[in-house]
Amino acid sequence: MNLAATIKGTSYRFRTVTEVLAKANPPKSGDQLAGIAAATPMERVAARAVLAGLTLRELRESPVVPYEEDELTRGAEDALDEESFLAMGHLCVGEFREWLLEVETTGSMIRSISGGLTAEIAAAACKLMSNLDLMVVGAKCEVVVRANSTLGRAGTLSSRLQPNHPSDDIRGILYSAREGLSYGCGDAVIGVNPATDSPESTAEILTELQALTDRHRIPTQNCVLSHVTVQMQALELGCPMDLMFQSLSGTEAGNRAFGISMSLMDEAFEVMGERRSSTGPNYMYFETGQGSALSSDAHHGADQVTLEARCYTLARRYRPFLVNTVVGFIGPEYLAGGPQITRAGLEDHFMGKLLGLPMGCDACFTYHADMSQDELESLKVLLGAAGCTYLMSMPVGDDIMLNYQSTSFHDVPSVRGLLRKRPTPEFDAWLHEREIMDGLLPGKNFGKPELLK
């Protein structure tokens, strides 16, 4: 395995594949914080030259966290589709990148081999691509899933309605939910981040949201994003639960900091299979974000793009209905500003889709990050054009509970109209029945939450 390259007469030699992956990464403040980033642009070019020549088999045999040390590595390796891997494993990363970008390579062809790809393979291809490359491949990849409604079909762009409230006041949550629905948002899920992480609060919010969606026959899913153990306790109280949520990290140690393990997630998956209120085969919801493992000192010297891809191979184990990267939420220590956040959003969407997930994105930034509203709006359009499954939606794009800037109720119909995309088929029909939308244009009841009391 060659881990050396000479650029303009200067020789660069890397010790491990993990170091090559880290130094081939575009500039990220998190990698710099961890002390693993390329020292110069020339070293980055050298690392990319080495990476382009590594085979997919060599990447598979060199996980960034060893098999013996990490249950995520073991779970991904043991579940790998050998037939799909054998079809591609002889290629070097540069050849794999070219194959993905070829006009003749269709989304169904990519989907057929996704089960044979490791996180390191997805991350390696990502590092050799421009932003436009990431969009072109992401737009090819169609991943269709079903809970109460059907998500991910070509020509659609869905949204999570996020009616958070700083004190979990149920009247405030329901009003925000009705407002978002009146703007055509919420077809992916109505999902609440609770201020109070208790079984009783989780059950109350889920019960009230279910009453709202039942009363108006709204074809969507409800979820409260409390800890997975709290949600399991809420199920014991007898509440409805369409989707079960959990945040994921890219290493066993990172997930331990989240209070989870693969055995716990396996148990939660089994419980939801028996007790869920949704009707389809996909009922798990995961959120991720570059930098989570570094923030808990659980990164093992690996870069944040590769660790993010490892989150997706874990999520893949549970055939989820929703996965989204909360791309700028952790803060500028990990993604310094607009260009890095934009790049990360496109990277994460590409890797998730490549690995076979229904990938969405919370295009967002914290208030101490160096990103403008114009940059954030541009990212939403880029993601929509790249085939992103869903975005967030909340009042004026300002989450008053989590204190960060994201996507507004108004942004979602605007981006749909610009890109000529529709909601899920079931929700689209409901919007027209209620005269909230007229095709891609606002209907006579657009923006009238009082009609959904």
Side-chain angles (χ1 to χ4, degrees):
M1 181 165 44
N2 178 34
L3 297 180
T6 300
I7 307 295
K8 290 188 175 182
T10 301
S11 295
Y12 297 87
R13 186 171 298 278
F14 304 98
R15 294 165 298 166
T16 63
V17 170
T18 299
E19 183 183 6
V20 172
L21 285 165
K23 292 190 173 180
N25 208 30
K28 299 285 175 63
S29 55
D31 292 339
Q32 293 163 351
L33 179 66
I36 60 175
T40 65
M42 199 70 75
E43 186 181 29
R44 184 172 298 110
V45 170
R48 289 177 179 175
V50 170
L51 187 59
L54 294 176
T55 67
L56 305 195
R57 179 170 296 280
E58 287 171 328
L59 285 169
R60 178 184 179 182
E61 293 171 351
S62 306
V64 296
V65 190
Y67 185 94
E68 298 78 13
E69 297 178 16
D70 188 275
E71 65 178 4
L72 272 69
T73 305
R74 293 192 292 274
E77 172 61 26
D78 294 349
L80 206 68
D81 183 332
E82 289 290 347
E83 184 177 348
S84 297
F85 176 77
L86 287 173
M88 310 300 293
H90 63 286
L91 297 178
C92 65
V93 178
E95 292 169 332
F96 181 54
R97 171 190 176 274
E98 292 301 315
W99 180 80
L100 290 170
L101 287 165
E102 285 174 0
V103 174
E104 295 81 7
T105 302
T106 64
S108 60
M109 292 167 65
I110 296 172
R111 188 74 180 92
S112 72
I113 58 95
S114 64
L117 303 179
T118 69
E120 287 78 7
I121 292 170
C126 180
K127 294 165 192 288
L128 298 186
M129 290 192 171
S130 69
N131 285 7
L132 182 57
D133 292 340
L134 297 172
M135 293 172 66
V136 168
V137 178
K140 291 183 181 184
C141 299
E142 182 179 334
V143 181
V144 179
V145 289
R146 178 171 176 77
N148 292 327
S149 56
T150 308
L151 193 73
R153 287 183 175 169
T156 63
L157 175 62
S158 297
S159 71
R160 169 189 160 188
L161 202 172
Q162 189 167 307
N164 294 345
H165 192 279
S167 65
D168 284 344
D169 182 272
I170 196 67
R171 294 169 301 171
I173 290 171
L174 291 175
Y175 187 86
S176 288
R178 292 195 298 268
E179 183 184 18
L181 290 163
S182 76
Y183 285 105
C185 301
D187 55 322
V189 64
I190 303 175
V192 178
N193 296 91
T196 306
D197 200 19
S198 72
E200 293 77 15
S201 175
T202 295
E204 179 189 17
I205 296 169
L206 283 170
T207 300
E208 293 294 336
L209 288 177
Q210 189 68 47
L212 172 67
T213 53
D214 284 350
R215 187 162 60 250
H216 297 285
R217 296 181 291 110
I218 305 169
T220 188
Q221 296 68 222
N222 297 312
C223 184
V224 172
L225 285 71
S226 49
H227 192 270
V228 65
T229 55
V230 173
Q231 291 168 85
M232 286 194 283
Q233 293 174 60
L235 279 174
E236 293 290 340
L237 298 176
C239 71
M241 188 176 294
D242 293 331
L243 304 177
M244 180 171 278
F245 166 83
Q246 182 54 46
S247 294
L248 300 180
S249 184
T251 67
E252 179 180 347
N255 282 321
R256 194 179 305 123
F258 283 156
I260 63 168
S261 63
M262 280 179 56
S263 61
L264 175 62
M265 294 311 304
D266 289 349
E267 178 187 355
F269 181 63
E270 182 178 350
V271 167
M272 271 297 283
E274 298 171 351
R275 299 190 181 185
R276 70 187 186 278
S277 48
S278 52
T279 58
N282 309 107
Y283 44 83
M284 300 299 285
Y285 173 15
F286 299 114
E287 285 188 352
T288 67
Q290 289 190 28
S292 63
L294 176 59
S295 69
S296 56
D297 194 25
H299 61 99
H300 293 265
D303 69 277
Q304 58 191 46
V305 169
T306 306
L307 293 177
E308 180 71 8
R310 286 168 58 90
C311 295
Y312 304 151
T313 54
L314 175 59
R316 186 166 64 180
R317 179 182 180 90
Y318 304 106
R319 304 187 298 277
F321 182 71
L322 301 174
V323 180
N324 77 274
T325 170
V326 192
V327 71
F329 184 71
I330 301 181
E333 299 84 359
Y334 307 97
L335 296 169
Q340 291 189 16
I341 291 171
T342 296
R343 172 73 187 184
L346 297 175
E347 287 170 338
D348 296 353
H349 174 257
F350 161 82
M351 294 190 297
K353 282 287 188 66
L354 181 61
L355 291 167
L357 295 174
M359 199 68 196
C361 183
D362 187 349
C364 63
F365 63 86
T366 56
Y367 293 112
H368 61 312
D370 185 16
M371 188 176 196
S372 70
Q373 188 68 34
D374 286 339
E375 288 176 300
L376 185 63
E377 291 176 357
S378 295
L379 175 55
K380 296 166 195 174
V381 176
L382 293 175
L383 286 165
C388 187
T389 304
Y390 69 104
L391 299 171
M392 303 299 110
S393 59
M394 60 193 74
V396 300
D398 186 0
D399 193 305
I400 60 172
M401 197 277 278
L402 294 174
N403 291 305
Y404 76 112
Q405 195 71 26
S406 183
T407 305
S408 76
F409 292 151
H410 300 76
D411 292 339
V412 170
S414 297
V415 176
R416 282 179 183 150
L418 180 66
L419 300 176
R420 314 303 293 174
K421 295 197 173 188
R422 305 290 277 263
T424 64
E426 301 90 341
F427 197 79
D428 195 32
W430 179 80
L431 291 174
H432 285 80
E433 175 192 327
R434 295 302 179 101
E435 297 184 276
I436 293 171
M437 298 297 298
D438 181 8
L440 285 168
L441 298 175
K444 71 175 187 179
N445 292 328
F446 183 80
K448 295 182 179 179
E450 64 272 15
L451 298 176
L452 297 171
K453 289 184 178 178

